[in-house]
Amino acid sequence: MGKYGSESHRNWGHSNTFGKDDTMLAERLQRAGFHTLSAHALPYFGRGTGLERGFEKIDLSAVPSEGSLKEMENSVTGDRLTSAALKLLAMPEHTGKRFFFWMHFLDPHADYLRHEDGPSFGTSQRDLYDGEITYWDEQFGHLVAELRRRNIYDNTLIVITSDHGMPFPRVKGQIYEDGYHLPLAMRWGKGIKPGRVVEDFINVRDLAPTYLELAGVPLHEQMTGKSLVNILRSEKSGFIEDRKVMLAGKERHDMGRPNDWGYP
């Protein structure tokens, strides 16, 4: 959407439903002629929440066939999600022209599971978390290999990020830097000089305006984020646009304790 969640028209639940007054990024790109694809391991992202709007193809084959939301989150789904994505990428009708592909991996996500065929970092929660990240990295590598095989790797903008930072106690759902300091890695062989580390403060609402500007699509009037295109095209590291201020706020206490209890 390119704006803060608090600026959206939603139901303010933990799993939000967004109103039609919120124009989704995929809607803008689809109208501009992009193929719009998505693959997920939770039904939330593909059924009636508003997040599905604008996608011509939504693959939910990686969603566990049964179980509660918590049981789904505690299932290993990265391999099935990768397989679904590889099938979509292999179809020329999906990637024969400009395309936008959104994937949401649940690995890593609490509870942290041990992957028997992966490296062991130890037995603590953070050790298991590192193992989950390694597992995800392996799965993502298969997608990179497919982009290379199709000879579209260097002309594809790849963005890796998250909805929150490190999720350990006193962090997720609270205003601590580790909770709102998100991972963000961007790779575009034909458009971004590699090996750079940018210090400018970036907000997730800045991503949608960035994608639209690169696509040559006018920004929507609802967007309050600022495009990162100048930063991406710079050859410098460090502060590029002197973005040194970031606003972080907490709307209310939510899930985070054992058994998904809320806070008073």
Side-chain angles (χ1 to χ4, degrees):
M1 293 182 289
K3 57 184 178 181
Y4 287 119
S6 57
E7 297 177 298
S8 66
H9 302 80
R10 55 180 174 155
N11 65 347
W12 294 86
H14 180 76
S15 298
N16 285 291
T17 298
F18 295 90
K20 292 186 177 181
D21 289 333
D22 297 314
T23 299
M24 299 300 174
L25 171 65
E27 294 180 278
R28 299 286 290 172
L29 292 174
Q30 186 181 44
R31 291 169 190 159
F34 277 70
H35 286 308
T36 50
L37 317 169
S38 69
H40 307 286
L42 273 185
Y44 167 70
F45 296 104
R47 299 175 186 168
T49 63
L51 295 174
E52 77 283 0
R53 294 201 301 266
F55 286 101
E56 63 186 75
K57 178 63 177 179
I58 301 175
D59 191 311
L60 298 178
S61 61
V63 174
S65 59
E66 58 184 15
S68 65
L69 175 62
K70 190 64 176 178
E71 289 170 331
M72 290 182 183
E73 292 176 338
N74 291 342
S75 300
V76 177
T77 54
D79 52 349
R80 297 200 301 272
L81 185 58
T82 298
S83 295
L86 289 174
K87 291 179 182 178
L88 293 176
L89 289 173
M91 298 179 184
E93 62 268 31
H94 292 154
T95 58
K97 66 175 184 178
R98 297 196 297 177
F99 67 93
F100 172 68
F101 194 170
W102 174 35
M103 296 181 64
H104 183 279
F105 279 90
L106 282 175
D107 311 287
H109 193 285
D111 296 337
Y112 309 115
L113 307 177
R114 182 180 298 281
H115 299 272
E116 297 300 332
D117 56 347
S120 175
F121 297 93
T123 58
S124 72
Q125 285 294 293
R126 294 197 184 191
D127 293 332
L128 295 174
Y129 180 66
D130 288 342
E132 291 267 55
I133 293 173
T134 303
Y135 172 75
W136 167 85
D137 185 72
E138 177 185 356
Q139 297 302 317
F140 188 76
H142 298 313
L143 301 177
V144 169
E146 177 63 18
L147 294 176
R148 290 183 183 275
R149 189 187 71 81
R150 297 190 59 77
N151 200 31
I152 56 177
Y153 178 60
D154 282 332
N155 198 33
T156 299
L157 172 63
I158 300 173
V159 180
I160 301 170
T161 189
S162 177
D163 58 341
H164 56 75
M166 183 180 68
F168 292 101
R170 298 196 69 204
V171 176
K172 183 179 179 180
Q174 310 300 322
I175 309 179
Y176 291 94
E177 182 177 354
D178 284 339
Y180 60 78
H181 189 173
L182 311 185
L184 176 61
M186 307 178 77
R187 199 269 181 193
W188 179 23
K190 293 187 176 180
I192 301 177
K193 180 181 177 180
R196 299 163 51 224
V197 177
V198 175
E199 301 291 341
D200 289 70
F201 291 1
I202 305 303
N203 192 286
V204 289
R205 67 181 182 141
D206 299 329
L207 295 178
T210 302
Y211 303 152
L212 292 183
E213 183 175 348
L214 288 173
V217 179
L219 304 189
H220 194 278
E221 60 184 8
Q222 74 174 13
M223 293 183 172
T224 58
K226 182 180 179 181
S227 171
L228 309 176
V229 169
N230 289 340
I231 292 177
L232 298 184
R233 290 179 171 162
S234 173
E235 296 188 354
K236 301 178 181 179
S237 290
F239 283 99
I240 311 301
E241 290 190 342
D242 205 35
R243 302 188 189 197
K244 296 183 177 180
V245 177
M246 177 60 62
L247 175 64
K250 183 174 181 60
E251 297 170 354
R252 59 185 172 84
H253 284 286
D254 202 345
M255 293 186 280
R257 293 194 298 166
N259 302 313
D260 282 336
W261 294 329
Y263 290 82

